[in-house]
Amino acid sequence: MTTIAVHAIITPKPEHLQNVLSEMLGMVQGSRQEPGCLRYDLLRQDDAGTVRLHVQERYRDMDAVQAHRDSAHYKAYRAKASDWFQETPVVTVLEEVDVA
């Protein structure tokens, strides 16, 4: 069994920043309750007026990643937030090799 890391970069439209932040805080709470979720952290980057949110996630395995994507809170967030992004979120799924 291999632990999976997911890193997502979300760039909200400025007028939707508070909506995205509020929904993402709900995602943090819901995701941390998932049995296969080992870690779910939300970070903020403010780069010359452009705000990007970074989500760093760790899951027990790919089945847990899929369970996250199938969860009600994930689907609800994606349905609400689809028009709130300045650009398409960048999501990278990584297999951990040697992580402390």
Side-chain angles (χ1 to χ4, degrees):
M1 191 172 353
T2 301
T3 303
I4 303 297
V6 177
H7 183 85
I9 303 171
I10 301 165
T11 307
K13 293 176 183 173
E15 65 270 23
H16 292 295
L17 175 59
Q18 291 308 314
N19 292 333
V20 174
L21 276 171
S22 177
E23 290 297 322
M24 283 305 303
L25 289 171
M27 283 287 295
V28 168
Q29 292 177 352
S31 299
R32 287 180 179 166
Q33 300 304 311
E34 296 170 15
C37 180
L38 304 173
R39 186 174 189 113
Y40 196 97
D41 298 324
L42 178 62
L43 301 97
R44 179 182 171 141
Q45 172 190 6
D46 193 342
D47 187 18
T50 299
V51 174
R52 288 183 180 82
L53 302 175
H54 294 255
V55 185
Q56 296 177 339
E57 310 166 45
R58 290 184 76 217
Y59 296 93
R60 182 183 59 233
D61 53 25
M62 279 306 295
D63 288 340
V65 173
Q66 190 58 51
H68 170 70
R69 291 177 178 164
D70 291 340
S71 69
H73 58 268
Y74 179 85
K75 288 180 179 180
Y77 164 74
R78 293 293 299 187
K80 286 181 192 176
S82 62
D83 294 330
W84 294 347
F85 303 136
Q86 187 168 310
E87 51 194 60
T88 303
V90 176
V91 180
T92 306
V93 178
L94 307 159
E95 182 179 310
E96 292 186 352
V97 176
D98 187 353
V99 177

